[in-house]
Each structure stands twice: as structure tokens, then as C-alpha cells.
């Protein structure tokens, strides 16, 4: 598990000073030679140059030494106008470790501690000696050394990923594991199957070299995690994000496993992504990166094995590139290798609004169950992006009154009701819903606590927490977003009688229509939008009723019930497929429904 940390300004300053010593500036050379060890030369020079007391300089060095020793990945940011993050290669990171060791109190990668030879040569020797000739002969090591020095010298900031355990709370993977445990206990599933369900089936990490527009080559790390394929080919999005971690990809792949299972799709769960900042990349760079990802993962993905889709900062165009690259490799048009494609090249009609349409169908079912009349119900939507806008529009078409919506800049409220299309037009012109005529501006926190019948969180994770769950006045929460409610908040909402339609059910319309897209690709026969809608309604309403049955039978909330259904399906499939090779013959799953 990886976690991200940044170097402080002081730590970066010290790292630069270390590399300055190797620029062989006469005044620094004189300085280092006037001290008995490189360590004292560094601490005193740093203290004098930056006006930091010596004891504090020691601490800066220690913190830097620890961070670099634990770092798995290091990236440095070039200054404006370039403003680009550049990764250090593994060899360059090791070179940095040797450099820091050279300045430590008791160097371990000797002979770098010696001040007798030319310092840069001493470092190169130490590197070859410590990391072995397989990591580079003298020539390659010298080049790594120069590259590392150049990257550090020109950086304005640095960030690293360490192998330290992620302590962020609540960790989405831990939350998903807790729900798995609860469901496994209820189902009394075999402990071996339970253990297998706690871990991803396959994790692949690759490094993709990309030729950049400025003539340089950058290497990006890509992931694909196939969590479980007992029910069918794995399925899940590809996310491009500078802070993406393997931990997050694993959590999202587990989520996909339960989402496809609860809706009864013949699919497993997966997720993937690339650590990159797409906002700083040109279209050409993004295309080369995406094609590199497709080439590297071609042997792991495919219409019958694992089918990616768009996620954060990837879109229909990204999917078209993957499909094209993969098709070139296999030698025929493999439209079914990805979903979420443009309609012109195998995309399905109705995919754009599918997630929100699914939200609307589940809200309609929940209303029937609660005896609420959807016509005239008061709705609040957090997040006005793809999911939030279409959810507001479709619920409005059902007769609901949308009184408040929000985006990252703030919220707007009109008790008389908003026209979602007009709000979208305003957002298209101004960049935000805020400032829409005739509305009161609110904060996102205030929006969640508004008096309403239905609250649709459609933005980010961890929005309803133990701190505000008690203030939610909605009768129903339909989770358009993934993970908007923390486990503690879930308990509070349940105790307060708020009916929650959990994310893996409420927002599963997207993956359901993605599945339809894949089916159409495999048949090479395409459905009308009406057919897609009818099939979506049937699939999601069936799943809703199955979950509600379990929730009532066991007096658990809808989330626990959804996990019970999902885990049961996956566990049974594993048992049927593998039989005694996985679990003892005496172990029998207890039926839950019916
Ligand atoms: P999007 O980027 O189109 O929209 C996100 C919206 O949330 C934007 O309007 C943004 O301004 C707003 N937002 C960001 N921070 C906010 C904050 N602090 N408070 C209020 N609003 C904020 O994304 P999307 O595709 O609509 O996805 C939204 C959520 O739904 C995500 O959790 C996503 O994982 C989930 N989801 C999406 C799909 C899909 O098909 N698009 C499917 C399933 C789940």
C-alpha cells in the first residue's frame, strides 16, 4: 500500500544544496574540504545559507533521509512556464539515496564517505559498489547521476509515494472489507472463500514510456487490478490522476465486483489507471500514453477477459484509442474490448445518462416502498456534473421539485424549484451553478442539511459523515456518487429512519448499460434507445427488489443487504466453479433469499 507525501520547502532546499556541492562551485568545494566530514559541511552550510539553527538543520536532514529511504516513487516539478511533474527512474532514486548517504553522519554505502577522490566519481563508485553492476556499469551510473542532479536542481517542488501504510480515514478499501466481513458472517461462507474475497485476484503494474511534445521521454506508472472473475469477465474503469495510488485502484476494483454482482450481471470487477496529470498533457501526449497503456495491458484485457471503461479524466475518446490500438494488435475490430465508446464506433445509445436513469428508477421504487408520491417530492442534488445534472433532469421529468443543486464552487437554493436545463445553460456560460438568477447561495454543507424528501449526493466520497449525518433531513438518500456516506454516518442514518439506496445499487445504471454495450458489440447488432432503457429498468428494478427483500428479512440497512446479495453470488460462483479445490466438500453456503 502506498501513500503520498510532499517534501517541505526546507527539505527540497537541503536536497538542492547537496547537489550544489557536486556542481563543483569553488566556494562550496572549499567549504566541504574545510570540514572533516561531508555531513558537517552540509549541516553548517545549510544553517548559514538558510538562517536555520544547526539543530533544526539536523532534523531537516533526518526527515529527508527517512522520506527518500522509504520512497517508492519520486516526482519533481519543473518551474513555470513548463510546470511539469517529472518522475525519477528507479536508478535515479537509488542514486539520490547514495547522494544522501554520502552526507549522512555514518555513510553505509562507502566509499562515498571519502573526500579524497572527485566527489561525483565517489558517488558513482558507491552506486556501482552498493547496487551492483546489474544496476548499471560506470557509464550508465554516471548518466543516472547527471540526470538526477539536473532534475533536482531544476525542481520547484517534489512529491513521493512511500511504502508506509495508508492511514487516511476512512480508507475506502477498509470500509469495503468491513462490509464484506458483515455479509460473510451473515452468509456463514467458508473461511477460505472469505479470505480469497479479501484480496484481488491479479494486480499488474507497468511503466509506460511516452515521447513528449518537448522531445523528452517520460515514464508513467499504470495499474490494472482484476479483483474477481468468478461471475464472468472483469469490468471497471480506467482513471487518470496525478495522485492515483494502487490502494485506491484495489478498493475501486473490489467495489466494481460487488456492483456487478448485486445487479446480477455476468461480470466480475476490475479497475485501472495511470498516475499522470492529464490537465498538463497535450492531446497527442494523452493519445500516446493511452495507446502505450493498451499495448502493455493487451494480454490482460479483452472482450472475454477484462473490459475497461472511462472513469475520472478519461472519456469516450480515450476508449476509442484503446479499442483501436487493441484491434490493431489482434488483427480485427474488437469493439467489445472497452465500453463507453463514442456511438459512431460501437458505443451504446443511452450510455450518457444511464447512471442517472438508474438513480431515477431506484428512487421511484424506493418511493413506492416508502409510500411517497414522487410527483411533488422535494429533491436536493449535490454535484452538478454528468450524474447530478441528468439525475436532476430525470427526477424533474417525474414531477419532482429540484430545490437545490451544487458544484465545487458552491450551492444554489430556490424553494420554488429550479429548471435543471436552465441551470446547466448558466453553468455552461459561467463555469458554475453559483449565481443563478433568483436563487439563494449556500455552502455545500448547508445543502446537505436542507429540508427535503430526497437527497442525491452526486459529487465525491465522504460527504455525509458522523458529523453531519444527524442533520440530514431527507427521507431518502440515493447515492449517485461512489462512497458519499461513511460507515459511521450510515449507522446514524439507519437509526434515524433515513432510507439509503447504496451506491453499488443506486449508481449501477452506468455499468449495466456498459454491459449492454458489450453485448451489442459481441452481437454486432445495435438496440434503440428505448430498448436500452427498458432493459436497464428491468435489470435495476429487479436488483432493487432483491436487495429490499433481504433488508426486510434480516432487518439490516440496504447497504448491508446489497453486500449480502453480491457476496453470496460471487461466493456461490467460486464454490460451483472450483468445488473441492477451493473449499472443503462439507462446507455449504446457506441460502439467503427464498
Ligand atoms: P463529474 O466530474 O461530471 O461531476 C462531478 C460534479 O461534482 C461536478 O459538478 C463538480 O463541480 C462537483 N463537485 C466537485 N467537488 C464538489 C464538492 N465538494 N461539493 C459539491 N460538488 C462538487 O463526475 P460524474 O461522472 O458526474 O461523477 C460523480 C460521482 O458519481 C463520482 O463519485 C463518480 O465516481 C460517480 N459515478 C459516476 C458514474 C458515471 O457514469 N459518470 C457512474 C457511477 C458512479
Amino acid at each position: 500500500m502506498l501513500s503520498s507525501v510532499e517534501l517541505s520547502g526546507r527539505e527540497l532546499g537541503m536536497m538542492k544544496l547537496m547537489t550544489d556541492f557536486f556542481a563543483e562551485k569553488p566556494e562550496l568545494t572549499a567549504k566541504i574540504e574545510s570540514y572533516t566530514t561531508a555531513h558537517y559541511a552540509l549541516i553548517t552550510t545549510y544553517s548559514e545559507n538558510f538562517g536555520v539553527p544547526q539543530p533544526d538543520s539536523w532534523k531537516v536532514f533526518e526527515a529527508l533521509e527517512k522520506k527518500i529511504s522509504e520512497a517508492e516513487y519520486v516526482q519533481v516539478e519543473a518551474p513555470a512556464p513548463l510546470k511539469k511533474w517529472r518522475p525519477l527512474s528507479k536508478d535515479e532514486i537509488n542514486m539520490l539515496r547514495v547522494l544522501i548517504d554520502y552526507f549522512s553522519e555514518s555513510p553505509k554505502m562507502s566509499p562515498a564517505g571519502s573526500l579524497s577522490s572527485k566527489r561525483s566519481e565517489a558517488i558513482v563508485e558507491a552506486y556501482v559498489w552498493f547496487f551492483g553492476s546489474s544496476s548499471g556499469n560506470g557509464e550508465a551510473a554516471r548518466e543516472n547521476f547527471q540526470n538526477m542532479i539536473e532534475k533536482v536542481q531544476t525542481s520547484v517542488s517534489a512529491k513521493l509515494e512511500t511504502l508506509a501504510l495508508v492511514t487516511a480515514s476512512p480508507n475506502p478499501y477498509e470500509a469495503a472489507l468491513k462490509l464484506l466481513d458483515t455479509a460473510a458472517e451473515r452468509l456463514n461462507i467458508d473461511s477460505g472463500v472469505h479470505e480469497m474475497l479479501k484480496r484481488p485476484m491479479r494486480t499488474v503494474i507497468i511503466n509506460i514510456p511516452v515521447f513528449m511534445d518537448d522531445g523528452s521521454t517520460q515514464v508513467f506508472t499504470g495499474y490494472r487490478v482484476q479483483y474477481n472473475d468468478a461471475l464472468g469477465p472483469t469490468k471497471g474503469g480506467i482513471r487518470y490522476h496525478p495522485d492515483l495510488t494502487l490502494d485506491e485502484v484495489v478498493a475501486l476494483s473490489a467495489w466494481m465486483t460487488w456492483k456487478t454482482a448485486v445487479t446480477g450481471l455476468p461480470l466480475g470487477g476490475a479497475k485501472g489507471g495511470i498516475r499522470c496529470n492529464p490537465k498538463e498533457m497535450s492531446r497527442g501526449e494523452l493519445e500516446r500514453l493511452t495507446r502505450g497503456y493498451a499495448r502493455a495491458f493487451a494480454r490482460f484485457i479483452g472482450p472475454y477477459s477484462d473490459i475497461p471503461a472511462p472513469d475520472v479524466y478519461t472519456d469516450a475518446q480515450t476508449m476509442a484509442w484503446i479499442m483501436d490500438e487493441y484491434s490493431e494488435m489482434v488483427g480485427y475490430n474488437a469493439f467489445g474490448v472497452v465500453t463507453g465508446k463514442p456511438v459512431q464506433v460501437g458505443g451504446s445509445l443511452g450510455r450518457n445518462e444511464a447512471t442517472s436513469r438508474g438513480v431515477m428508477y431506484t428512487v421511484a421504487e424506493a418511493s413506492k416502498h416508502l409510500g411517497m408520491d414522487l410527483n411533488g417530492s422535494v429533491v436536493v442534488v449535490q454535484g452538478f456534473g454528468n450524474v447530478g445534472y441528468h439525475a436532476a433532469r430525470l427526477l424533474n421529468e417525474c414531477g419532482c421539485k429540484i430545490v437545490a443543486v451544487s458544484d465545487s464552487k458552491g450551492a444554489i437554493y430556490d424553494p420554488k424549484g429550479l429548471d435543471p436545463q436552465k441551470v446547466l445553460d448558466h453553468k455552461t456560460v459561467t463555469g458554475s451553478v453559483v449565481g443563478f438568477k433568483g436563487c439563494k447561495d449556500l455552502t455545500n454543507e448547508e445543502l446537505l442539511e436542507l429540508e427535503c424528501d430526497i437527497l442525491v449526493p452526486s459529487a465525491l466520497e465522504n460527504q455525509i459523515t458522523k458529523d453531519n449525518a444527524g442533520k440530514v433531513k431527507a427521507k431518502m438518500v440515493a447515492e449517485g456518487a461512489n462512497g458519499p456516506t461513511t460507515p459511521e454516518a450510515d449507522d446514524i442514518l439507519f437509526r434515524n429512519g433515513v432510507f439509503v439506496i447504496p451506491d453499488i445499487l443506486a449508481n449501477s445504471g452506468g455499468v449495466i448499460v456498459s454491459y449492454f454495450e458489450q453485448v451489442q458489440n459481441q452481437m454486432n447488432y445495435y438496440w434503440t434507445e428505448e430498448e436500452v432503457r427498458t432493459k436497464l429498468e428491468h435489470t435495476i428494478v429487479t436488483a432493487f427488489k432483491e436487495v429490499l427483500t433481504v433488508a426486510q428479512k434480516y432487518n439490516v440497512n440496504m447497504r448491508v443487504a446489497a453486500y449480502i446479495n453480491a457476496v453470496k453470488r460471487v461466493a456461490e460462483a467460486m464454490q460451483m466453479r472450483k468445488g473441492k479445490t477451493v473449499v472443503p466438500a462439507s462446507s455449504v453456503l446457506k441460502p439467503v433469499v427464498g
Side-chain angles (χ1 to χ4, degrees):
M1 307 249 178
L2 299 165
S3 67
S4 295
V5 283
E6 279 208 17
L7 285 192
S8 69
R10 282 185 172 190
E11 288 159 2
L12 184 64
M14 182 164 281
M15 204 157 81
K16 284 187 165 193
L17 179 62
M18 288 182 204
T19 59
D20 276 345
F21 277 117
F22 290 90
E24 309 288 348
K25 292 181 187 159
E27 68 280 12
L28 288 175
T29 303
K31 190 112 199 167
I32 205 166
E33 279 163 6
S34 68
Y35 285 89
T36 46
T37 66
H39 179 70
Y40 279 103
L42 176 73
I43 298 297
T44 47
T45 313
Y46 182 80
S47 176
E48 286 163 16
N49 290 10
F50 291 88
V52 176
Q54 283 216 6
D56 289 350
S57 303
W58 275 65
K59 282 189 193 142
V60 174
F61 181 80
E62 277 169 12
L64 177 65
E65 194 179 26
K66 183 169 185 306
K67 282 185 185 173
I68 299 294
S69 73
E70 286 177 349
E72 184 72 358
Y73 302 103
V74 178
Q75 293 194 67
V76 291
E77 190 185 17
L82 209 53
K83 269 275 185 209
K84 246 184 195 165
W85 284 100
R86 304 167 75 191
L88 265 61
S89 68
K90 290 272 177 230
D91 290 340
E92 287 165 6
I93 297 171
N94 282 338
M95 197 50 100
L96 189 54
R97 291 192 175 115
V98 179
L99 180 73
I100 291 175
D101 182 71
Y102 176 89
F103 287 102
S104 74
E105 223 174 345
S106 41
K108 294 172 203 67
M109 298 178 190
S110 186
S114 147
L115 295 178
S116 54
S117 59
K118 198 174 170 224
R119 280 190 299 284
S120 52
E121 277 307 307
I123 297 282
V124 169
E125 272 168 41
Y127 176 87
V128 174
W129 179 77
F130 198 81
F131 288 99
S133 53
S134 63
S135 305
N137 56 27
E139 240 353 274
R142 236 166 257 124
E143 201 180 319
N144 279 330
F145 180 70
Q146 288 308 334
N147 289 344
M148 181 273 288
I149 297 272
E150 189 266 327
K151 284 182 182 169
V152 171
Q153 284 267 340
T154 55
S155 64
V156 290
S157 57
K159 60 182 177 186
L160 344 159
E161 268 191 9
T162 75
L163 284 172
L165 275 181
V166 171
T167 50
S169 174
N171 176 339
Y173 190 37
E174 277 169 19
L177 283 181
K178 227 180 246 173
L179 282 158
L180 165 66
D181 290 346
T182 307
E185 199 179 312
R186 288 266 171 184
L187 292 163
N188 194 20
I189 65 170
D190 174 81
S191 60
V193 171
H194 187 182
E195 278 307 306
M196 287 172 74
L197 291 176
K198 286 182 187 171
R199 293 172 181 79
M201 173 185 85
R202 178 184 289 143
T203 300
V204 187
I205 305 177
I206 48 146
N207 286 303
I208 313 157
V210 177
F211 184 68
M212 307 301 281
D213 293 347
D214 65 5
S216 68
T217 298
Q218 280 196 35
V219 182
F220 297 88
T221 301
Y223 308 100
R224 189 74 189 163
V225 177
Q226 295 164 348
Y227 199 87
N228 188 292
D229 70 348
L231 288 169
T234 52
K235 175 125 199 58
I238 295 179
R239 179 172 288 201
Y240 288 180
H241 202 278
D243 298 327
L244 186 72
T245 63
L246 182 57
D247 194 30
E248 187 182 343
V249 182
V250 172
L252 293 167
S253 70
W255 233 321
M256 282 306 298
T257 303
W258 311 130
K259 194 182 285 193
T260 52
V262 78
T263 42
L265 300 180
L267 295 171
K271 204 80 185 186
I274 304 178
R275 274 182 73 87
C276 65
N277 192 345
K279 288 187 178 168
E280 290 177 357
M281 296 174 73
S282 69
R283 190 182 155 90
E285 289 170 340
L286 280 173
E287 178 173 351
R288 292 193 288 279
L289 174 65
T290 303
R291 288 184 185 274
Y293 184 93
R295 275 195 304 277
F297 280 110
R299 77 188 77 167
F300 300 103
I301 61 172
Y304 299 103
S305 52
D306 180 19
I307 306 130
D311 195 74
V312 176
Y313 293 147
T314 54
D315 55 18
Q317 176 62 76
T318 321
M319 295 305 114
W321 287 328
I322 295 180
M323 180 275 288
D324 182 65
E325 192 67 27
Y326 182 86
S327 297
E328 292 280 349
M329 289 182 76
V330 295
Y332 56 89
N333 270 341
F335 280 2
V337 67
V338 285
T339 58
K341 299 178 293 291
V343 173
Q344 296 88 330
V345 284
S348 176
L349 293 172
R351 172 64 185 87
N352 232 6
E353 53 153 48
T355 302
S356 316
R357 187 165 280 280
V359 169
M360 183 265 281
Y361 289 139
T362 56
V363 165
E365 281 307 301
S367 300
K368 277 189 225 159
H369 163 66
L370 298 172
M372 280 165 58
D373 188 356
L374 208 50
N375 193 7
S377 283
V378 175
V379 173
V380 167
V381 179
Q382 186 199 37
F384 204 66
N386 183 283
V387 175
Y389 158 68
H390 285 296
R393 173 179 68 80
L394 291 166
L395 287 168
N396 191 231
E397 283 172 14
C398 295
C400 294
K401 187 159 71 163
I402 316 296
V403 295
V405 299
S406 68
D407 59 27
S408 56
K409 305 222 170 78
I412 53 170
Y413 173 60
D414 183 353
K416 295 192 294 302
L418 299 158
D419 177 340
Q421 186 53 51
K422 288 193 177 140
V423 177
L424 181 67
D425 293 344
H426 170 80
K427 186 178 162 113
T428 308
V429 174
T430 66
S432 170
V433 298
V434 174
F436 184 67
K437 206 168 56 211
C439 282
K440 188 176 169 206
D441 287 346
L442 298 177
T443 64
N444 262 296
E445 291 72 36
E446 289 168 331
L447 170 130
L448 294 172
E449 295 164 17
L450 281 173
E451 199 74 57
C452 65
D453 299 307
I454 302 161
L455 174 63
V456 188
S458 311
L460 307 168
E461 306 90 55
N462 301 334
Q463 295 300 296
I464 306 176
T465 66
K466 65 177 174 6
D467 299 326
N468 62 1
K471 298 176 197 154
V472 169
K473 298 182 190 74
K475 297 184 185 74
M476 181 200 306
V477 173
E479 295 182 338
N482 283 319
T485 312
T486 66
E488 296 98 331
D490 226 8
D491 291 341
I492 298 169
L493 294 177
F494 189 52
R495 276 203 306 274
N496 291 351
V498 181
F499 187 86
V500 178
I501 313 173
D503 49 9
I504 61 168
L505 179 60
N507 69 36
S508 63
V511 74
I512 292 172
V513 175
S514 268
Y515 163 63
F516 294 163
E517 177 177 332
Q518 220 251 340
V519 170
Q520 294 171 76
N521 293 153
Q522 297 301 84
M523 293 191 299
N524 202 14
Y525 174 70
Y526 290 83
W527 304 338
T528 63
E529 190 153 0
E530 203 41 51
E531 280 176 282
V532 171
R533 287 180 187 172
T534 309
K535 288 182 167 71
L536 166 61
E537 181 174 14
H538 173 75
T539 308
I540 205 164
V541 168
T542 304
F544 179 93
K545 287 180 177 163
E546 288 167 349
V547 172
L548 183 61
T549 305
V550 171
Q552 288 171 325
K553 185 166 178 178
Y554 292 96
N555 189 28
V556 291
N557 67 31
M558 287 287 281
R559 193 182 317 275
V560 172
Y563 270 78
I564 288 175
N565 275 2
V567 171
K568 177 175 184 286
R569 281 187 181 137
V570 176
E572 278 182 347
M574 285 167 73
Q575 203 166 5
M576 282 167 195
R577 290 177 64 154
K578 301 289 181 195
K580 279 190 288 188
T581 62
V582 172
V583 291
S586 57
S587 158
V588 180
L589 280 176
K590 296 206 172 94
V592 174
V593 190

